[in-house]
Amino acid sequence: MEGGDQGGNPSEGREETSDPHPPGPCDAITAQPNGGQCDGGSQQAEMPTGNSHAPPDPGAKLCGYLCKQGGPLKIWKSRWFTYEEQKSQLYYYRTAQDVAPLGCVGLTSATFSYPLQGEEGSFLIQTPERTVILKAANRHAMLYWLQQLQLKRWQHRTRRGESLQTEGPNAGPVEFLPLVKMPEGLVGEEAANQPGPRRTSLTNISIKHPLIEFQNLRQRCPSQDQSRSVFHLDVTPPAPSPTRALHTLDMQASQNDTPSPRTPSCESPGVFSPVALSDVPENPFEESSGRRKKKGLYATLPIDRRSKEHSTRQQLELLTLTEEVKAQKELVLLLHKALESSQLEKRSCVEFLAASGECERLELLRHRERQAADLQARVDRLQGENEDLRAALQQRDTNASDLQENVQLLLQKNQAKQEVILKLSEQMANCVTDQQCTISMEAFKRLMQDVQNLKDDIDAYKTQNRFLNSEIYQLTRLWRSSSEQEKSLMMKCAYLEARGCQRESKYLAVLRELQDSKTLSDTHRNELRNLIEEALQGEQKDVLAIKPASEYDEYGFKLIANYEVEDMKLLSKIQALEIRSHNLLNQEAGDRPLLARWAQYMAGRPSDELSPSPELKALLRGGVPREYRARVWRWLSWTRTRSIRERHPDKYRMLCQKSNTSPHPASHQIQLDLPRTLTTNQHFSSPSSPALEKLHRILLAFSWHNHNIGYCQGLNRIAALALVVLGDEEDAFWCLVTVADAIMPKDYYTKTLTDSQADQWVLKDFMAEKLPRLHAHLQEHSVDVALATFNWFLVVFVESLPSDILLRVWDAFLYEGTKVIFRYALALFKYKEEDILKIHDTVEIYHYLRFFTKTITDSRKLTNIAFNDMNPFSRRQLQNRRAHHRERLLARLRELEAEQEKYASMSSQPSERKDKELDNGASEDDEEIACKNLEGTVK
């Protein structure tokens, strides 16, 4: 099909509207995404200029053969193009002899361009309706067409009065680029003599315009010679002389009346052969009139010559008609094929319309769709195979190129070696043959001997090197073996040291139990006291072996607590031994696997893009490594306080300014509690520590932030722990806000401590459910666990647990909330349940509950009990029990308030005045006695 338009499909004969703002001369070759640019400097070197400054011929006609891309397959079709100056349109025909054009392209508002990466000679004509892709024979012809089309368009606009004022040195369009010389034989009237497209070629036949094709075929017939092509040559053939005519007829007669391969009757009048120029008339069917016109010429010719001339013309006419019949048969064949295609479509439509019901029609459509889907699948499969084959071919080409490069490199090396050998050979030959060579044969022999000696030395060094390599290999194996043995011995030593620590701790525990025994005699007690003193006052090397490398951990918490009482000192020694034993047994399986899991989870995650997930929950329950703890705590605090921090980003700074200008009523209590905060931490051990000043500002800011709470004892330890871990003062403040406002219930830190007391009753319910033996034992001895656990809940175990366990509790607490406190409180009692059950004295139980949390060393065991053995632990059940006990407490508080009001009202009644008369009487008696004493003294 004809066309190949991009961006529209208007009618072929449509005339484009002119542009109200015509572009300048420089827009003849516009810049495309991959096309050329209007850059005269860069394009001048590529254009064949010829007579660069020769003026264009105004009488030259712009025409010639070009290939036009069209049809659904986008194939190239050869067309004859000619420019019409009146309407500034470019008409195109199938051949130069056609009368009716296949279509036209309006150039009034068109732009021209050519792609740099396209086929050679291809260029584009872009109109508001469509884009026409053309291709010239070569680059020279393409540039000529582009420049001439630009010039024609500019001249047409100038005639219509659309051009700009041409004043100044750059007025003419020819100064845009140097003129390109017209390619000979490809453009202009001479191009009509070139062989056009064959009429039998199916690719050049326009199926889109069958009537125009048929009309052009009829116009080519000799009987229609009066019709002429749009492109014609106004050339009158010269009148042949009698001598030339006779010579022509003799030549034709000598060739046994063989017809010429040219068919002048079907050619354009401008294309003429020797016969046509000599004496063949324009219309062979008007032969008699032609004779009458040329009667003067042929009157002198013999009769046999005229008969030969007549037979020649008849043969030419017969050949022409035969070719026209063949062309018409081809056209009829194409029409038959088009008719068969339309009949197939009609048959499919008839089958669809002839179906009795919608179901059959639908089934027919589905059948066609399945066929189309199968064909599409085959096409996709073939395309996939084609891509695989192309990839394989590309891989082979790559391998071939690599091998070729290697071969080339080896050839170059070989060539270099050959050159070196050749030079050395030449030098040797010159030295041997040259009589004036200073080196004699004896010297040459000595040199050869030295070379041989050097080769022997090299061989000896190689042998020595191999021997040394074997020695190094043996030493390396010995070193690896010794390293493994050393590692094994270190592990055994650590194991033995841990066992020794365990046995020593058991020994000290036995001494402590014997010390508490009341059945020992005074002698045994003295010996026992001496043994305890020896254990506490061991040698310095034993103390160093028992104590860790540092007394403080990475956060500044003291690892072993100091006890003033002798009994507590013995307990501290036992605790140090247990911690040392635990560290030695778990030094291989320490925090490395945990650090690896956290590193894998945090890889590539910004600190503000963590999201709640079961994976993060499991990691937090296992603990956060020190490298990531501050980052995770900041994200947890930001997640729970996002709304208020986004509304007031400078809130902490404003609160600090308010604290400086307006003292808070709780500032005096805060100042008193600061020296009692985290006394076992080295950051708060000194009264002049900067951490105490930061903590003071944080607590004052919070007291202004939350007016319902203000300040409560215990908040200082929560804020101090946040400051130790996070380091930043503002981050610690928001962590305190997270705990007091977001995680804990609203009345947890108020004056009544209602929710704190309710949680103690909830804990007792859970102990009765999950630890029935221990609960019954404590009830039997009338022990109230709230005396020990109330402080746990109020400060979230701060200064109640070792630092490593405390921080793991807080990791899970900041994510899951108060449920973690209940889990770990129950886990602590479960951890030491057997030890508590062995104590049957109430005072000793209270004494044990006061410090037993400090003796826990196995954090993994405690975590496993909290999150596995305490299951199930429903949050809804916790909330329901908390609400129930909170209502009970509020009712009790209301009763107490009613009693207080009742008592206050009774104390203000008049009856109470009578009760005070006795006091008044007693006071009067005292006065009388005092007076009598005074009188006696005077006498």
Side-chain angles (χ1 to χ4, degrees):
M1 295 177 62
E2 200 68 38
D5 303 336
Q6 300 178 2
N9 190 15
S11 60
E12 296 289 353
R14 180 176 177 180
E15 180 178 357
E16 290 76 358
T17 59
S18 60
D19 189 2
H21 302 285
C26 191
D27 62 358
I29 305 175
T30 59
Q32 298 293 326
N34 59 345
Q37 299 180 356
C38 184
D39 188 359
S42 62
Q43 296 290 341
Q44 186 174 2
E46 298 181 3
M47 295 182 181
T49 55
N51 296 331
S52 301
H53 303 282
D57 187 5
K61 192 171 185 67
L62 182 61
C63 55
Y65 279 106
L66 294 173
C67 290
K68 179 176 178 293
Q69 193 180 71
L73 300 179
K74 303 298 181 182
I75 60 176
W76 293 104
K77 298 182 180 181
S78 179
R79 295 289 182 262
W80 174 264
F81 284 81
T82 179
Y83 176 75
E84 198 276 326
E85 296 184 356
Q86 295 297 328
K87 296 183 179 181
S88 184
Q89 292 181 347
L90 189 66
Y91 289 91
Y92 55 91
Y93 308 81
R94 192 167 70 86
T95 61
Q97 290 77 31
D98 291 346
V99 176
L102 299 178
C104 65
V105 181
L107 304 181
T108 306
S109 302
T111 59
F112 315 114
S113 62
Y114 66 94
L116 294 178
Q117 304 297 332
E119 298 185 23
E120 183 181 3
S122 61
F123 61 96
L124 285 75
I125 301 178
Q126 295 177 334
T127 65
E129 293 83 6
R130 58 174 179 168
T131 300
V132 182
I133 304 176
L134 305 177
K135 184 172 71 172
N138 49 40
R139 181 179 178 83
H140 184 189
M142 175 198 71
L143 296 176
Y144 179 80
W145 271 97
L146 288 173
Q147 194 175 60
Q148 290 300 317
L149 289 175
Q150 176 200 7
L151 181 62
K152 298 294 184 183
R153 182 189 60 187
W154 185 85
Q155 291 175 355
H156 176 74
R157 292 182 179 179
T158 304
R159 287 195 299 270
R160 292 179 59 182
E162 296 181 357
S163 62
L164 301 174
Q165 296 297 330
T166 57
E167 296 181 0
N170 298 328
V174 295
E175 295 185 4
F176 160 59
L177 286 175
L179 292 177
V180 181
K181 184 177 180 181
M182 183 177 68
E184 298 180 0
L186 297 178
V187 182
E189 299 174 352
E190 297 179 358
N193 297 328
Q194 300 297 327
R198 295 178 56 189
R199 285 190 292 271
T200 59
S201 176
L202 299 179
T203 57
N204 286 320
I205 295 177
S206 178
I207 303 176
K208 185 177 180 181
H209 310 88
L211 298 178
I212 297 177
E213 285 283 348
F214 185 73
Q215 182 181 358
N216 289 331
L217 287 174
R218 293 190 61 189
Q219 292 294 338
R220 295 194 199 100
C221 184
S223 61
Q224 304 293 334
D225 191 63
Q226 297 298 330
S227 300
R228 306 178 66 187
S229 172
V230 174
F231 174 79
H232 59 279
L233 299 178
D234 297 331
V235 179
T236 303
S241 61
T243 308
R244 182 178 178 182
L246 291 176
H247 177 71
T248 303
L249 293 176
D250 290 338
M251 290 294 292
Q252 292 178 355
S254 64
Q255 295 176 0
N256 297 323
D257 299 335
T258 302
S260 174
R262 271 208 178 273
T263 57
S265 60
C266 291
E267 299 290 340
S268 174
V271 183
F272 44 89
S273 63
V275 178
L277 290 175
S278 60
D279 51 4
V280 177
E282 290 185 0
N283 195 347
F285 292 99
E286 298 180 358
E287 183 182 355
S288 58
S289 61
R291 285 199 196 94
R292 285 194 298 271
K293 292 178 183 179
K294 300 180 181 181
K295 186 175 180 181
L297 175 62
Y298 294 107
T300 59
L301 295 176
I303 298 176
D304 55 350
R305 295 289 180 87
R306 280 181 288 178
S307 62
K308 289 182 179 180
E309 178 186 355
H310 178 70
S311 62
T312 302
R313 285 196 298 270
Q314 293 294 333
Q315 290 176 359
L316 293 175
E317 182 180 354
L318 178 61
L319 181 61
T320 303
L321 292 176
T322 303
E323 292 183 356
E324 293 296 334
V325 169
K326 289 181 180 179
Q328 291 184 7
K329 286 182 178 180
E330 293 178 0
L331 180 60
V332 170
L333 181 61
L334 290 175
L335 292 177
H336 274 297
K337 292 182 178 179
L339 182 60
E340 289 177 359
S341 177
S342 62
Q343 285 178 352
L344 290 175
E345 294 180 1
K346 180 180 178 182
R347 190 178 302 126
S348 300
C349 294
V350 168
E351 290 178 0
F352 179 74
L353 295 175
S356 60
E358 295 294 335
C359 295
E360 295 183 1
R361 293 183 182 179
L362 184 60
E363 184 63 29
L364 182 61
L365 288 176
R366 289 176 177 174
H367 177 66
R368 298 299 183 189
E369 289 178 356
R370 285 194 295 271
Q371 289 182 348
D374 294 339
L375 293 176
Q376 185 64 33
R378 292 180 59 188
V379 170
D380 295 339
R381 185 173 63 257
L382 292 176
Q383 288 179 354
E385 294 177 357
N386 188 15
E387 291 177 358
D388 294 340
L389 291 174
R390 287 182 178 178
L393 181 60
Q394 186 177 4
Q395 185 65 27
R396 291 183 180 180
D397 292 341
T398 305
N399 296 336
S401 61
D402 295 339
L403 293 174
Q404 188 67 26
E405 291 178 358
N406 294 334
V407 170
Q408 189 68 23
L409 183 61
L410 291 175
L411 290 176
Q412 292 177 359
K413 291 182 178 179
N414 190 17
Q415 182 68 23
K417 291 180 179 180
Q418 293 293 337
E419 292 178 358
V420 171
I421 293 173
L422 182 60
K423 289 181 180 179
L424 293 176
S425 301
E426 291 178 355
Q427 292 178 3
M428 289 292 297
N430 293 333
C431 290
V432 172
T433 56
D434 191 5
Q435 296 180 358
Q436 297 179 356
C437 184
T438 58
I439 301 177
S440 61
M441 293 301 297
E442 296 180 357
F444 177 74
K445 290 181 179 180
R446 287 196 300 271
L447 289 175
M448 293 299 296
Q449 186 65 31
D450 294 340
V451 169
Q452 188 65 32
N453 295 335
L454 291 175
K455 289 181 179 180
D456 295 340
D457 294 340
I458 290 173
D459 294 338
Y461 283 126
K462 287 182 178 181
T463 304
Q464 185 180 6
N465 189 19
R466 286 194 294 269
F467 173 75
L468 293 176
N469 288 336
S470 64
E471 290 292 326
I472 293 172
Y473 176 71
Q474 295 295 332
L475 291 175
T476 304
R477 290 184 59 184
L478 292 175
W479 174 76
R480 289 179 179 176
S481 177
S482 62
S483 299
E484 293 177 357
Q485 292 178 1
E486 180 183 3
K487 185 177 180 181
S488 177
L489 291 175
M490 290 295 293
M491 292 177 63
K492 291 180 179 179
C493 181
Y495 177 74
L496 292 175
E497 186 178 356
R499 293 294 299 273
C501 292
Q502 290 177 356
R503 291 179 179 178
E504 188 173 357
S505 64
K506 291 179 181 179
Y507 168 71
L508 294 176
V510 170
L511 291 180
R512 184 170 177 272
E513 292 178 358
L514 291 175
Q515 185 182 11
D516 297 337
S517 178
K518 299 179 180 179
T519 60
L520 294 177
S521 62
D522 295 337
T523 305
H524 292 165
R525 286 183 179 278
N526 293 331
E527 292 179 359
L528 182 61
R529 188 179 298 109
N530 294 331
L531 290 176
I532 293 175
E533 289 178 359
E534 289 178 1
L536 293 176
Q537 297 176 0
E539 296 181 1
Q540 187 65 24
K541 58 180 182 179
D542 295 335
V543 175
L544 293 176
I546 292 174
K547 288 187 177 180
S550 176
E551 295 183 357
Y552 298 92
D553 63 359
E554 61 271 12
Y555 291 106
F557 289 99
K558 199 167 186 178
L559 297 176
I560 306 300
N562 292 327
Y563 299 99
E564 299 297 333
V565 186
E566 294 295 331
D567 188 26
M568 296 296 101
K569 289 184 178 180
L570 182 61
L571 180 62
S572 175
K573 187 69 172 294
I574 296 173
Q575 182 182 355
L577 289 170
E578 290 181 355
I579 293 174
R580 178 64 176 172
S581 173
H582 177 74
N583 294 335
L584 290 171
L585 292 176
N586 294 276
Q587 61 183 356
E588 293 298 326
D591 293 337
R592 291 184 181 179
L594 181 64
L595 181 60
R597 290 197 300 270
W598 272 98
Q600 182 179 2
Y601 179 79
M602 301 292 287
R605 294 176 186 261
S607 58
D608 55 346
E609 291 188 3
L610 298 177
S611 57
S613 63
E615 182 183 4
L616 179 60
K617 182 178 180 180
L619 288 174
L620 288 171
R621 286 184 173 183
V624 183
R626 184 177 182 274
E627 292 79 3
Y628 300 106
R629 178 167 282 122
R631 177 179 172 184
V632 174
W633 281 26
R634 288 190 186 95
W635 174 78
L636 293 171
S637 175
W638 169 262
T639 304
R640 293 183 181 273
T641 59
R642 180 191 299 270
S643 57
I644 185 173
R645 295 177 73 173
E646 289 179 350
R647 291 196 306 268
H648 307 286
D650 297 333
K651 188 174 181 64
Y652 179 70
R653 182 177 56 81
M654 296 170 62
L655 292 173
C656 290
Q657 293 177 357
K658 187 175 182 180
S659 301
N660 295 329
T661 57
S662 302
H664 195 271
S667 60
H668 179 68
Q669 185 63 41
I670 293 173
Q671 194 70 33
L672 292 176
D673 289 342
L674 285 178
R676 297 194 290 261
T677 304
L678 296 187
T679 56
T680 59
N681 190 287
Q682 61 182 355
H683 297 292
F684 298 93
S685 58
S686 175
S688 60
S689 174
L692 289 176
E693 298 178 1
K694 295 180 181 179
L695 181 61
H696 185 218
R697 290 193 294 267
I698 292 171
L699 295 176
L700 286 176
F702 180 80
S703 62
W704 284 111
H705 165 73
N706 193 325
H707 298 283
N708 295 329
I709 297 175
Y711 173 74
C712 176
Q713 288 183 340
L715 295 179
N716 56 332
R717 284 181 272 181
I718 295 176
L721 179 64
L723 184 61
V724 167
V725 175
L726 296 175
D728 184 72
E729 185 176 335
E730 185 175 358
D731 291 338
F733 166 76
W734 287 113
C735 185
L736 177 61
V737 173
T738 300
V739 174
D741 293 353
I743 299 178
M744 293 298 190
K746 62 178 182 179
D747 290 334
Y748 220 83
Y749 298 103
T750 56
K751 294 180 179 180
T752 58
L753 300 175
T754 306
D755 290 325
S756 299
Q757 298 179 48
D759 279 356
Q760 300 307 310
W761 288 98
V762 174
L763 177 64
K764 293 176 183 179
D765 292 345
F766 280 120
M767 287 186 66
E769 178 183 343
K770 298 183 180 296
L771 302 172
R773 293 173 55 213
L774 181 60
H775 180 72
H777 180 71
L778 296 176
Q779 290 291 332
E780 180 183 356
H781 293 86
S782 302
V783 176
D784 187 6
V785 295
L787 297 176
T789 60
F790 186 83
N791 190 51
W792 296 357
F793 281 71
L794 196 64
V795 297
V796 196
F797 298 104
V798 177
E799 291 189 328
S800 297
L801 289 173
S803 59
D804 57 338
I805 303 177
L806 173 65
L807 294 174
R808 292 197 177 198
V809 173
W810 271 69
D811 293 337
F813 164 71
L814 291 176
Y815 184 82
E816 300 184 45
T818 56
K819 187 171 68 170
V820 175
I821 304 178
F822 287 93
R823 284 183 176 273
Y824 272 99
L826 295 173
L828 288 172
F829 285 111
K830 181 67 175 178
Y831 193 97
K832 294 291 185 177
E833 182 180 11
E834 298 299 329
D835 294 341
I836 298 174
L837 291 175
K838 294 178 182 179
I839 305 175
H840 298 282
D841 184 71
T842 304
V843 178
E844 291 185 3
I845 293 176
Y846 277 117
H847 186 66
Y848 186 80
L849 294 179
R850 185 167 61 88
F851 65 83
F852 84 98
T853 55
K854 292 285 188 178
T855 63
I856 295 177
T857 57
D858 196 347
S859 59
R860 295 184 181 180
K861 179 181 177 181
L862 183 65
T863 303
N864 186 46
I865 295 173
F867 293 106
N868 293 328
D869 296 350
M870 293 298 110
N871 288 333
F873 204 93
S874 174
R875 184 183 297 273
R876 180 177 298 177
Q877 184 182 9
L878 172 62
Q879 293 175 353
N880 293 337
R881 292 184 177 181
R882 178 181 282 167
H884 171 69
H885 290 292
R886 189 174 187 275
E887 291 297 330
R888 287 181 54 191
L889 288 172
L890 290 176
R892 180 60 179 164
L893 288 175
R894 285 192 293 267
E895 292 178 358
L896 292 175
E897 290 176 358
E899 292 179 359
Q900 289 177 359
E901 292 177 358
K902 183 178 178 180
Y903 178 76
S905 62
M906 290 176 62
S907 61
S908 61
Q909 292 179 0
S911 60
E912 294 182 357
R913 297 178 182 175
K914 297 180 179 180
D915 298 336
K916 296 181 180 179
E917 291 180 356
L918 182 62
D919 296 335
N920 295 331
S923 62
E924 291 176 357
D925 295 338
D926 294 338
E927 290 177 358
E928 292 178 355
I929 294 172
C931 291
K932 290 180 179 181
N933 293 333
L934 181 61
E935 291 176 357
T937 305
V938 172
K939 289 180 180 181

